Amino acid sequence: MPAITWDSKLAAVAGKQAPKIEKAFGYQTVGELLGHYPRRYVDKGALSDLGTVAPDEHVTVIARVVDSQLHTYPDRRRGGLAYRLEAVVATEQDELTLTFFDKKKHLAQWRERTIAPGRTGLFSGKVGSFRGRLQLTNPQTKVFGAPAEGGADQAAAAWEDIPQLITIYPATSTVQSWQLDEAIALALDLVDDVPEVLPPQVRKARDLVPARQALEWIHRPETWSQKAAGENRLRFDEAFITQTVLAQRRAELMALDAQPRTGRSGGILDRFDSRLPFTLTAGQEQVSRAILDDLVAGHPMHRLLQGEVGSGKTVVALRAMLRVVDSGGQAALLAPTEVLAQQHHRSITALLGDLAAGGMLGGAEDGTQVALLTGSLGAPARRSALLDAASGAAGIVIGTHALLEEAVQFADLGLVVVDEQHRFGVEQRAALTAKADGSPPHVLVMTATPIPRTVAMTVFGDLETSTLAELPAGRAAIQTNVVALSDHPDWLERAFARIREEVDKGHQVYVVCPRIGGDRSDSPPAAGDDSRPMAAVEEVAPMLAAGPLSGLRVEMLHGRLAPDRKDELMQAFAAGDIDVLVATTVIEVGVDVANATMMLVFDADRFGVSQLHQLRGRVGRGGHPGLCLLVTGAPAGTPARDRLDAVAATTDGFELSRVDLEQRREGDVLGASQSGRRSSLKLLSVLRHEDVISQAREVAAALVAQDPDLSEHPELAAQVRRLHEAERADFLEKA
Ligand code: ADP
Ligand code: MG
């Protein structure tokens, strides 16, 4: 028999179960199977003693099945049949009834085969009582070994065989926990070549056990401290491999040459600075300096600039663009929406004044041109924008996805700025940078969705990160209140009255709805308990105009309007010709109207935490305090309401992005990824393991500096390759 190795096919240890395991979890090799870590451990010594449990307590018991009966009954609610398996299990002292309900026949039959008399299992759930007898309904179950033919003797032997710490693996209805147990145990017994990715001195310096030992201890611990030591080691590996990939990417960038953009004194940047109507904040100064340094370093800049909504990222980016223009190059600014691209074009043109009219009558001698390229341009405007970009007449080209099209060419693209980078994929960034012929352009990506430091290190670790922490002076606080209609239905009237007050003071108001309206087809199905249709722009606007806000100038803005109309509306709102703008989230990113002081969000529970934070950043920009009202029907104590309360409680975007991530993670844990689909991060949480990540980053950077292509670390190189492949597979799946 050939030796069984890390890379052997799964069937070598899983036999006939291999196809089922592969289908359920995607594992093809023995090594991948060994990466299937237990979800939970149960201490045999800490199992519940049935003599002392009372109803409503949570218990975990080991017991032998003595009887099981499958019953079929008509399902009155859904029609058809439903299934109930009633089993009696015996512990050393007592008996307990288990009841399992199933809606699908094959599941019920599978359960009947699993919970079969003679078998021993672990059952966990909340104790109820039925006809004077303790009972568990739909308990979590782990049955040990194949069905025992014999009686009590064999059951007793089975009990002896059960380890002190019982592992519970993520399982499915087709692959049972004990089948995974068996295959994994066999693999641990047979496989000798567990890859060791950590250099011994790194391992020892951090007191980490060898990889082989770690796997043994995570799958078959004798004590809790073994389990913890195994986990620590394998968690470090996850961080280390990811950080190695990122360190390599950074090194690759460093190895590329980019044209230094040194600018010149007395050029357009200097003239711009001298006429800037405000003083840069210390943060803006500092980040600007870092960026200008990057631009002369001789390698392509690759920098992430994050900063709260309104923290003044645009000016920082503009200064970088002007430096490139001063060096004879061009800059492209990519925005995610038409509204935002137009707004950037307007505000940058305004900031530049006659510097933006280079080569034109009345323009500054030293100036340049700012071109706008969006999908909605008419043919002549488009032709002239394309020409200005290709000839180099436009030093700055602002646009949407339209910038990525083949027809768009630059004379000398030196800098790519991507606004709200989370709206764009890596491929789109690449499509734009590819438009520079010769050396690669510098890249600056900006985001107002704050990214916790560790996430930035993990997800964007190939970027240098800068943060604008302070808001420019004169930015007033935003107060956020939750308007809970389930508790106070009359508060909506008061909210409308508040809008009127705000307008009477000469200010403007946004009203945000989750839906456009008209047909219902754009609305996702309402979540379970809430069958009320979501607020729609096309219904709310006329309702407000005719009722509570009659006499005010109310307009609608949403994605289905013609681009010209959208632009016209935004201009009118910016000019103060509209009092109340009822809109969808088209206003979410970047829209900047200083006189808007209040926002009311209908069905606020339908939006994500970060999205609400972005939305409310639209108000309070002009030195007047902002007010944001989050209207919801969600009752107190529901997760939806908790989320809104979190948004109301803090304006710290970093704190909120943590809340958001935690919730999404929660969703993942309960959803698809629980089945253990190949994820490279199983033990590492980017939120909880900051210290592990930064240590691993340090180690990886040092290692890559000394051995860039990992030729002295073949095992690590193999894992890195595997991660690349997984990423590529992910990408292909998405494409
Ligand atoms: P964001 O970071 O959300 O993109 P912007 O760059 O749009 O923020 O800036 C928001 C507003 O603040 C703009 O009107 C901009 O002109 C203004 N601004 C930027 N920096 C300063 C500053 N240092 N002092 C005062 N106002 C500033
Ligand atoms: Mg912005």
Side-chain angles (χ1 to χ4, degrees), residues 313-314 344 419-420 590:
K313 297 184 290 295
T314 313
H344 273 312
D419 196 14
E420 303 301 345

Side-chain angles (χ1 to χ4, degrees), residues 6 14 98 122 136 149 194 271 284 292 362 397 418 490 569 574 616 629 634 640 643 724:
W6 184 259
L98 310 181
L122 190 67
L136 300 180
E149 300 291 324
V194 176
R271 281 135 140 295
Q284 284 173 317
L292 298 190
V397 182
V418 184
D490 56 316
L569 281 164
R616 73 176 160 184
L629 299 182
R643 238 173 30 222
H724 278 301

Side-chain angles (χ1 to χ4, degrees), residues 308-314 340 343-344 419-420 446 448 589-591 618 621:
E308 286 283 327
V309 174
S311 58
K313 297 184 290 295
T314 313
L340 197 53
Q343 182 179 287
H344 273 312
D419 196 14
E420 303 301 345
M446 305 195 287
V589 282
V591 173
R618 303 301 116 219
R621 295 172 79 86

Side-chain angles (χ1 to χ4, degrees), residues 406-684:
E406 192 98 30
V408 182
Q409 288 181 3
F410 294 86
D412 176 13
L413 181 60
L415 170 66
V416 168
V417 179
V418 184
D419 196 14
E420 303 301 345
Q421 66 78 31
H422 62 286
R423 302 295 183 97
F424 295 99
V426 177
E427 322 84 70
Q428 286 166 315
R429 257 196 268 157
L432 191 48
T433 54
K435 291 187 185 293
D437 21 64
S439 55
H442 301 281
V443 176
L444 176 67
V445 300
M446 305 195 287
T447 179
T449 304
I451 302 166
R453 211 173 74 85
T454 48
V455 180
M457 278 195 293
T458 314
V459 186
F460 300 99
D462 54 338
L463 302 175
E464 300 295 328
T465 324
S466 305
T467 304
L468 287 178
E470 58 186 320
L471 295 185
R475 203 49 55 73
I478 302 171
Q479 179 175 351
T480 305
N481 293 333
V482 177
V483 178
L485 298 182
S486 58
D487 308 342
H488 307 281
D490 56 316
W491 279 9
L492 193 55
E493 287 306 314
R494 284 169 54 187
F496 294 153
R498 212 38 205 87
I499 295 181
R500 196 177 271 284
E501 278 167 36
E502 211 58 37
V503 173
D504 286 346
K505 282 191 255 171
H507 295 152
Q508 291 161 278
V509 178
Y510 296 104
V511 172
V512 179
C513 303
R515 208 159 63 84
I516 298 176
D519 60 284
R520 291 278 149 87
S521 61
D522 60 335
S523 57
D529 53 343
D530 190 3
S531 54
R532 204 169 39 88
M534 284 184 285
V537 171
E538 288 179 340
E539 289 155 19
V540 167
M543 178 278 283
L544 290 175
L549 303 184
S550 68
L552 305 189
R553 295 166 299 176
V554 179
E555 293 287 350
M556 301 186 262
L557 178 69
H558 56 73
R560 272 199 224 134
L561 297 176
D564 281 357
R565 174 72 183 144
K566 276 190 271 186
D567 191 32
E568 193 184 316
L569 281 164
M570 275 319 296
Q571 302 241 31
F573 191 66
D577 296 336
I578 296 172
D579 297 317
V580 179
L581 190 63
V582 183
T584 53
T585 52
V586 290
I587 59 155
E588 177 188 352
V589 282
V591 173
D592 189 13
V593 176
N595 192 45
T597 51
M598 177 177 170
M599 173 176 289
L600 182 148
V601 185
F602 275 106
D603 292 314
D605 46 289
R606 303 303 171 113
F607 300 98
V609 168
S610 292
Q611 205 175 14
L612 289 170
H613 182 60
Q614 289 271 23
L615 278 169
R616 73 176 160 184
R618 303 301 116 219
V619 298
R621 295 172 79 86
H624 313 288
L627 174 65
C628 175
L629 299 182
L630 305 176
V631 178
T632 180
T638 57
R641 215 8 215 293
D642 291 348
R643 238 173 30 222
L644 298 183
D645 288 340
V647 175
T650 178
T651 50
D652 179 344
F654 283 87
E655 176 60 30
L656 288 173
S657 72
R658 282 187 97 91
V659 172
D660 213 14
L661 268 167
E662 260 156 27
Q663 292 211 338
R664 246 180 291 155
R665 229 188 135 72
E666 187 83 350
D668 274 350
V669 171
L670 302 174
S673 74
Q674 193 182 14
S675 66
R677 243 202 83 54
R678 284 206 253 174
S679 150
S680 46
L681 301 186
K682 290 173 178 169
L683 299 167
L684 185 73

